[in-house]
């Protein structure tokens, strides 16, 4: 194993710089984000993601699987440095630095297949889980609408389980997406109960469509709601007031996609 | 509003005792657990749960809704005490102490309807979400199998959103449950992929049955797996390796229950 360098001090300037990637501002400024843990780093390697640097402890148990990597700066770090870089209670001993620039922007007009549109979803665990589920269900992509939590924060990355390498992800206003789908006569489904709302399992299967999931507490934005072709609801048989948004999205996605 | 007392010091002995309810050991010893936040306390009140004490800050905005409660010790606490008692980043200003004893033990032999059996589920958020979803789907109860995370810990309570007051919950070995269901010829569905596993949407709808969900990483225990009548799987169309266990449970529960 050829390390380009060894960093043992948590006060090291490069480590300090990497810690800034824990914030949205820091990621934007550096144009990079940080992945933690073997499962996610392995997914990134398998997907030929744009990894610039891998940082790993000397006793990391899958060290052998990092043999022969080219074009990646491989740095050995002490367990103390690993813990200081980690967002988790106990660091897993491996980190990768990835370029944000590699994310190719998707144009709403060229979008096909099933897309999940996140309308102000706040909880990072919910967001990450929804991307993972969209991947599993065979969706083409997920749009993080303005007001949704940031895509590259550690908790989102952990819950996504590497699905960012499998499906298309976009960030921005949802309006152009809704309009682009409607221009092609692809249905846009909302998920808010109103007079015209239909049970989710009575609208058939679809290939090209958008499904909008609203904020955990406040639901969808009014302007988006008004544009939907149909709102769907999941009938509640018990006494719970509602479903967790990631669970609801999972039930809808698996039911709707042909 | 009649407060029985006012506690302003975080070092107060009663507050110290209540903090012990954050641990499984502390809850067992005291025979009580702590609920935090208005939504959950309101659910407990509406369900006539066995509340012994409510602790609330003077500026709590729903204070008027606590008028006329009888048999409950109402204590005013300072914002500092609220924060010290809280499991969340910012305390919501209301807590309730509930008796564990009120939970009536359910006998496997008398169980009817749909039951979710948790086989070593670890993540408190997943567990709580599964109980909430079971409630919404119209399940009769959830059994926390040995090795599953503790039912009354703050993160589970938060994710359950009060569903513990709506459906039956039991803790213990899953084996007697599986045997009791099979004795009545109610199907016991596993959720692990094997040669005989069937797609989840090809086994019809059922009224009385058990659905077992396995541990996030390791799946179901072998001895339980061998006893299932049928194992179900959710076909993955994308590249994700698996679904989050709470999402998978949601999809299965809503599909299976008649």
């Amino acid at each position: 194993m050829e390390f380009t360098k060894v960093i043992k001090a948590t006060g090291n300037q490069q480590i300090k710089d990497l810690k800034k990637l824990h914030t949205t501002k820091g990621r934007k400024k550096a144009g990079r984000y940080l992945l933690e843990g073997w499962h996610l780093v392995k997914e990134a390697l398998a997907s030929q993601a744009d990894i610039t640097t891998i940082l790993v402890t000397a006793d990391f148990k899958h060290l052998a699987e990092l043999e022969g990597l080219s074009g990646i700066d491989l740095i050995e770090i002490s367990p103390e440095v690993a813990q200081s870089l980690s967002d988790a209670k106990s660091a897993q001993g491996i980190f990768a630095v990835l370029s944000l620039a590699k994310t190719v922007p998707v144009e709403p007009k060229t979008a096909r297949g099933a897309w999940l549109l996140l309308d102000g979803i706040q909880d990072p665990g919910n967001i990450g889980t929804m991307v993972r589920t969209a991947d599993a269900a065979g969706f083409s992509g997920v749009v993080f609408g303005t007001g949704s939590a940031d895509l590259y924060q550690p908790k989102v990355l952990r819950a996504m389980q590497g699905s960012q390498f499998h499906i298309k992800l976009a960030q921005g206003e949802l309006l152009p997406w809704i309009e682009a789908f409607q221009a092609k006569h692809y249905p846009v489904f909302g998920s808010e109960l109103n007079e015209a709302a239909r049970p989710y399992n009575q609208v058939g299967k679809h290939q090209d469509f958008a499904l909008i999931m609203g904020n955990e507490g406040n639901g969808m934005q009014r302007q988006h709601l008004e544009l939907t072709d149909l709102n769907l609801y999941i009938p509640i048989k018990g006494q719970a007031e509602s479903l967790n948004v990631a669970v609801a999205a999972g039930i809808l996605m698996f039911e709707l996609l042909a």
Side-chain angles (χ1 to χ4, degrees), chain A residues 200-202 204-206 250-258:
Chain A
Y200 75 107
N201 48 4
Q202 294 179 18
K205 303 272 186 190
H206 303 266
I251 293 171
L252 294 174
M253 288 192 274
F254 271 87
E255 181 68 27
L256 291 173
L257 190 61

Side-chain angles (χ1 to χ4, degrees), chain A residues 12-257:
Chain A
N12 176 286
Q13 188 57 47
Q14 191 170 357
I15 299 302
K16 281 186 185 169
D17 288 343
L18 288 176
K19 281 185 201 167
K20 292 180 186 159
L21 302 184
H22 286 312
T23 69
T24 306
K25 194 178 151 195
R27 287 188 291 272
K28 221 171 232 173
K29 205 169 159 191
R32 299 175 192 283
Y33 72 100
L34 192 65
L35 270 189
E36 177 174 1
W38 180 229
H39 179 73
L40 300 187
V41 173
K42 205 168 48 171
E43 281 285 336
L45 288 168
S47 311
Q48 303 189 299
D50 193 3
I51 302 174
T52 59
T53 311
I54 288 179
L55 303 103
V56 64
T57 54
D59 63 349
F60 181 68
K61 63 179 177 178
H62 303 283
L63 215 51
E65 296 180 51
L66 297 174
E67 288 288 354
L69 294 178
S70 69
I72 296 175
D73 206 16
L74 199 60
I75 300 175
E76 183 192 327
I77 52 175
S78 65
E80 293 72 32
V81 168
Q83 197 53 55
S84 83
L85 257 188
S86 177
D87 181 62
K89 265 185 217 149
S90 53
Q92 287 191 52
I94 188 164
F95 300 84
V97 182
L98 282 87
S99 173
L100 285 177
K102 188 64 176 271
T103 314
V104 183
V106 192
E107 282 298 319
K109 283 180 189 165
T110 63
R112 299 202 47 169
W115 282 74
L116 179 67
L117 275 46
L118 306 181
D119 195 353
I121 309 281
Q122 284 304 308
D123 182 82
N126 282 342
I127 289 205
T129 301
M130 287 159 94
V131 172
R132 176 181 176 191
T133 311
D135 176 12
F139 270 51
S140 298
V142 178
V143 185
F144 289 56
T146 309
S148 293
D150 184 56
L151 162 55
Y152 296 100
Q153 57 178 300
K155 282 183 184 171
V156 173
L157 293 170
R158 204 150 51 222
M160 282 202 290
Q161 294 268 307
S163 285
Q164 75 267 36
F165 303 121
H166 305 154
I167 63 174
K168 292 174 191 132
L169 299 180
Q171 284 181 299
E173 291 294 330
L174 294 185
L175 208 54
W177 290 86
I178 296 172
E179 289 172 347
F181 273 76
Q182 294 186 322
K184 289 193 276 194
H185 305 288
Y186 296 164
V188 175
F189 296 112
S191 49
E192 197 146 295
L193 201 56
N194 62 23
E195 283 181 5
R198 287 256 286 278
Y200 75 107
N201 48 4
Q202 294 179 18
V203 295
K205 303 272 186 190
H206 303 266
Q207 281 187 321
D208 302 291
F209 66 95
L211 169 66
I212 310 178
M213 298 300 299
N215 174 274
E216 288 91 342
N218 306 317
M220 294 169 51
Q221 282 186 52
R222 182 143 205 95
Q223 57 160 336
H224 298 150
L225 191 58
E226 284 167 359
L227 289 171
T228 55
D229 294 295
L230 200 57
N231 278 287
L232 308 178
Y233 71 94
I234 300 172
I236 303 279
K237 290 184 191 164
Q239 297 171 67
E241 278 178 21
S242 63
L243 285 164
N244 165 279
V245 68
V247 171
I251 293 171
L252 294 174
M253 288 192 274
F254 271 87
E255 181 68 27
L256 291 173
L257 190 61

